[in-house]
C-alpha cells in the first residue's frame, strides 16, 4: 500500500483527483456557460447554412447581392465562433488559475489581449507549430512509416498481406493519441504564459518567475541594458513605494528625474 501511495503521489495522481473534484463541484456552471456560447454560435451558422441551401433553388440565389450578403454573413459568423472559442479557452485557464467566474475570466482575457497583443499572437503561433505541426502531424507520419518499413521487410507477412493497411491503421491510432497529448501540452503552454504575464503585471519585479523563465523572457537582460535609467521606466507608484515616500523631480538636462524625499521643511533632493 505504501508503495502504491508513493507511486501515485510521484505521478501527481492526488493533485489530479483534487483538480477534478474542484472542477466538478465549483466550475461546472462556467464550463456549461462557455460551451453554451460556442453552441449558440454553431447553431446560428447551421441555421444560416440551412437558409442558404433552401434558397438555392429560388430566384433569390441568382441575385448577386443576395449571394454576396450570404457569404459575408457566413464569414462573420465563422469569425464570431472562432473568437468565442479563443476567448473561452483562455477564460477556462483563468478560471483554473484564479477560481473566478466565466464572465470575469472573459474580461481578464480581453484585458490580456489588449495589453499584450503581440505576445498573445506569438504564443498562439508557437503553440500551433509545436503542438499542432511538430507533435500532432509528425508523430502519426513517423509511426506509420516505421510500421510500413518494418512489415515490408518481413517476407512472410508481405507474401499474404499488404503493409499499407496496417500502416494506415497505425496512422489513425497515432493521430488520436498525438491529438490528445498535444491538447494537454497546449493547455500547459497557455497556463505558463498566463501565469508569467500575470506575475509580471501584478508584481514589479516579478515575484514567482523562476530564473530560467526570467532569462527566457529577457527581464534581467532588459534591466541590465537599461542601466541607470531602469528606474525611470518603472511605474510611478512602484518608484514611490521603493523610495519610501520619494517623489520624482524633473531635471532640465533631459536626464531621468532625480529622487526627492518629502520632509517637513519641503522637498529635499
Amino acid at each position: 500500500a505504501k508503495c502504491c501511495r508513493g507511486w501515485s503521489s510521484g505521478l501527481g495522481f492526488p493533485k489530479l483527483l483534487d483538480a477534478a473534484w474542484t472542477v466538478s463541484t465549483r466550475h461546472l456552471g462556467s464550463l456549461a456557460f462557455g460551451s453554451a456560447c460556442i453552441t449558440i454560435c454553431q447553431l446560428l451558422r447551421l441555421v444560416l447554412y440551412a437558409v442558404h441551401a433552401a434558397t438555392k433553388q429560388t430566384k433569390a440565389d441568382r441575385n448577386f447581392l443576395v449571394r454576396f450578403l450570404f457569404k459575408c454573413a457566413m464569414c462573420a459568423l465563422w469569425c464570431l465562433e472562432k473568437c468565442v472559442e479563443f476567448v473561452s479557452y483562455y477564460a477556462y485557464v483563468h478560471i483554473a488559475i484564479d477560481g473566478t467566474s466565466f464572465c470575469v475570466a472573459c474580461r481578464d482575457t480581453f484585458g490580456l489581449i489588449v495589453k499584450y497583443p503581440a505576445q498573445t499572437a506569438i504564443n498562439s503561433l508557437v503553440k500551433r507549430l509545436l503542438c499542432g505541426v511538430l507533435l500532432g502531424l509528425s508523430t502519426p507520419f513517423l509511426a506509420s512509416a516505421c510500421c510500413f518499413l518494418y512489415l515490408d521487410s518481413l517476407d512472410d507477412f508481405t507474401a499474404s498481406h499488404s503493409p499499407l493497411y496496417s500502416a494506415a491503421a497505425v496512422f489513425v491510432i497515432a493521430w488520436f493519441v498525438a491529438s490528445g497529448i498535444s491538447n494537454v501540452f497546449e493547455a500547459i503552454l497557455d497556463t505558463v504564459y498566463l501565469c508569467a504575464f500575470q506575475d509580471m503585471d501584478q508584481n514589479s519585479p516579478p515575484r514567482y518567475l523562476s530564473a530560467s523563465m526570467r532569462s527566457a523572457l529577457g527581464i534581467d537582460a532588459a534591466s541590465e541594458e537599461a542601466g541607470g535609467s531602469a528606474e525611470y521606466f518603472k511605474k510611478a507608484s512602484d518608484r514611490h513605494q521603493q523610495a519610501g515616500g520619494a517623489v520624482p523631480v524633473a531635471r532640465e538636462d533631459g536626464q531621468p528625474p532625480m529622487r526627492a524625499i518629502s520632509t517637513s521643511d519641503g522637498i529635499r533632493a
Side-chain angles (χ1 to χ4, degrees), residues 12 17 21 27 29 43 49-50 62 71 73 86 110 112 116 121 139-140 145 162-163 165 173 175 228 238 241 245 248:
L17 291 179
W21 174 257
H27 300 301
L43 287 176
Y49 274 117
R62 301 176 184 176
K71 297 297 182 182
F86 180 81
F110 275 112
L112 175 74
Y116 304 106
T139 302
S162 175
Y165 300 106
I173 297 173
W175 183 81
D238 296 337
Q241 183 179 4

Side-chain angles (χ1 to χ4, degrees), residues 70-265:
F70 267 114
K71 297 297 182 182
C72 291
M74 291 178 183
C75 182
L77 287 178
W78 181 84
C79 293
L80 177 62
E81 180 184 349
K82 294 303 177 182
C83 291
V84 171
E85 289 178 355
F86 180 81
V87 173
S88 299
Y89 184 80
Y90 275 96
Y92 288 149
V93 180
H94 273 291
I95 292 172
I97 296 173
D98 301 325
T100 57
S101 62
F102 182 79
C103 296
V104 176
C106 290
R107 183 199 62 188
D108 295 338
T109 301
F110 275 112
L112 175 74
I113 297 173
V114 171
K115 194 169 185 179
Y116 304 106
Q119 291 85 345
T120 305
I122 292 174
N123 177 71
S124 299
L125 178 61
V126 172
K127 181 179 64 176
R128 296 300 180 187
L129 291 177
L130 290 178
C131 300
V133 178
L134 185 61
L135 181 62
L137 292 180
S138 62
T139 302
F141 278 108
L142 183 62
S144 60
C146 292
C147 177
F148 180 84
L149 293 176
Y150 174 74
L151 295 178
D152 189 57
S153 62
L154 300 178
D155 296 334
D156 297 337
F157 183 85
T158 55
S160 56
H161 301 87
S162 175
L164 184 62
Y165 300 106
S166 300
V170 169
F171 178 85
V172 174
I173 297 173
W175 183 81
F176 279 107
V177 175
S179 298
I181 296 175
S182 63
N183 289 333
V184 174
F185 274 103
E186 287 181 5
I188 293 173
L189 291 176
D190 288 330
T191 304
V192 172
Y193 163 70
L194 290 178
C195 290
F197 278 86
Q198 186 174 359
D199 185 20
M200 289 190 295
D201 190 35
Q202 295 178 357
N203 304 301
S204 181
R207 183 178 179 183
Y208 301 104
L209 285 180
S210 61
S212 58
M213 285 292 297
R214 292 173 66 93
S215 176
L217 295 174
I219 297 175
D220 298 329
S223 300
E224 293 176 0
E225 184 178 352
S229 301
E231 295 289 332
Y232 178 71
F233 295 99
K234 289 184 178 180
K235 297 180 182 179
S237 58
D238 296 337
R239 295 200 304 266
H240 182 74
Q241 183 179 4
Q242 292 178 1
V247 294
V249 176
R251 299 175 60 177
E252 297 180 356
D253 54 0
Q255 297 296 323
M258 299 173 58
R259 289 183 179 178
I261 302 176
S262 300
T263 63
S264 58
D265 300 332

Side-chain angles (χ1 to χ4, degrees), residues 2-21:
K2 184 182 296 184
C3 177
C4 294
R5 285 197 299 268
W7 173 79
S8 61
S9 61
L11 295 179
F13 190 68
K15 294 182 179 180
L16 179 62
L17 291 179
D18 182 66
W21 174 257

